[in-house]
Amino acid sequence: MGLSQMPAMAANAADADALPGKGITVTPVKSSLAEETFQTLLVMKAMQRLGYTVKPYEELEYPLAHIAVANGDATFMANHWNPHHSEFYKAAGGDAKLYRKGVYSAGAAQGYMIDRKTSEKYGITKLSQLADPKLAKLFDSDGDGRANLIGPNAGRGGEAVVWHQIDAFKLKDTVHYTQGNYPALIADTLARFKQGKPVLYYAWTPFWLSNVLRPGQEVVWLEVPFSAMPGVQAGADTKMPNGKNYGFPLNNEYIVANKAWAERHPAAARLFEVMSIPINDISTQNRLMHDGQNQSADVERHANGWIKAHQATFDGWIEEARLAAKAAKVATK
């Protein structure tokens, strides 16, 4: 080997260590929910920093997104909720086909909410109280005498729980599950609240709504009489650490990737495992979107701003990913 070749080889080795994803193309997927773009962009930007060529994300609803990742038609999704998406995870092949390590964002709550004014005036603290037609009628927005419970779109995961619990808590005669375009329905719900009318809706965190109708201030969570979960979550205890039972277990968000792909690319696998952002940061960004900063350029700016404000953390993820790739390379020699 000539001496002139050695600097070039050293440079190539250094480049490979710094950019373990160089020459590799990845395809992210996310749901159509605009409020999940921020989390997805953060992962995409970290992947780019590692040298991966990251294609624009494709939008698929959760059941299809899990299947696309499991089958290798997509590389990863950054918005898998566990146990909320456990049915989708299992249907796509579970741990045999999907890589899921490390919590991306912890402590997401879900449940049923009503405005605090109505709760205090009528003493409504539990969903099961809506079996009383007089109380249910307070939340009637379409004139049929039943409470209108605004709930999640089909394919979100939460709708199966809502249907199951309406039946389990014997509310079918007094509560109508109003399902459709959730953002549009919630915009209408917020308008009703501002008019001083009672509101009843399913909610989750992180979402901009919790920064506008704040739990414990403008609105309150309703408790359920007992835990009642459908499908693979049947038998799960949904009681919170504070002793309250809002009908849904706390969820953690994960980055889920194609398992075979992750095993071949240790830098990405480690990145997916170590990335972690506070759930309140997601809600705060979602509020900015609700307040009008909702164009692609806005969300891009939010993601870049978060990285800059947490540069040491972000750089730490990148370094861990590089070290994982380097260690894997040494182990195969």
Side-chain angles (χ1 to χ4, degrees), residues 106-129:
Q110 300 173 79
Y112 307 99
M113 310 204 82
I114 64 170
D115 59 287
R116 181 178 171 182
K117 183 177 73 172
T118 302
S119 172
E120 292 179 347
K121 183 176 180 179
Y122 295 94
I124 303 172
T125 58
K126 293 181 171 59
L127 184 68
S128 53
Q129 290 175 259

Side-chain angles (χ1 to χ4, degrees), residues 7-186:
M9 291 184 67
N12 289 339
D15 189 46
D17 287 342
L19 301 172
K22 189 174 182 179
I24 300 162
T25 300
V26 299
T27 302
V29 286
K30 63 175 287 291
S31 79
S32 59
L33 194 66
E35 286 79 7
E36 291 183 345
T37 306
F38 173 68
Q39 303 97 295
T40 303
L41 282 182
L42 289 178
V43 183
M44 291 169 66
K45 289 177 180 296
M47 295 285 280
Q48 289 168 339
R49 177 82 173 270
L50 290 168
Y52 293 95
T53 300
V54 183
K55 295 171 69 174
Y57 59 76
E58 297 180 11
E59 290 191 353
L60 291 173
E61 293 310 329
Y62 297 121
L64 290 177
H66 283 80
I67 291 170
V69 173
N71 291 346
D73 298 321
T75 314
F76 72 90
M77 62 181 294
N79 310 107
H80 165 80
W81 295 98
N82 187 36
H84 193 57
H85 292 157
S86 53
E87 294 278 1
F88 307 147
Y89 189 84
K90 181 182 177 183
D95 292 339
K97 299 190 73 175
L98 295 165
Y99 173 88
R100 180 178 66 183
K101 280 189 180 181
V103 174
Y104 188 23
S105 192
Q110 300 173 79
Y112 307 99
M113 310 204 82
I114 64 170
D115 59 287
R116 181 178 171 182
K117 183 177 73 172
T118 302
S119 172
E120 292 179 347
K121 183 176 180 179
Y122 295 94
I124 303 172
T125 58
K126 293 181 171 59
L127 184 68
S128 53
Q129 290 175 259
L130 299 184
D132 181 342
K134 291 180 181 178
L135 294 180
K137 194 173 182 179
L138 295 169
F139 304 96
D140 177 16
S141 61
D142 60 10
D144 71 352
R146 295 183 293 169
N148 287 92
L149 168 60
I150 305 304
N153 305 44
R156 295 290 186 198
E159 78 285 354
V161 181
V162 176
W163 284 120
H164 181 78
Q165 292 183 349
I166 285 176
D167 185 44
F169 305 147
K170 304 188 185 311
L171 298 172
K172 287 194 289 187
D173 292 338
T174 56
V175 176
H176 174 68
Y177 178 17
T178 303
Q179 189 178 24
N181 183 317
Y182 184 80
L185 290 171
I186 283 300

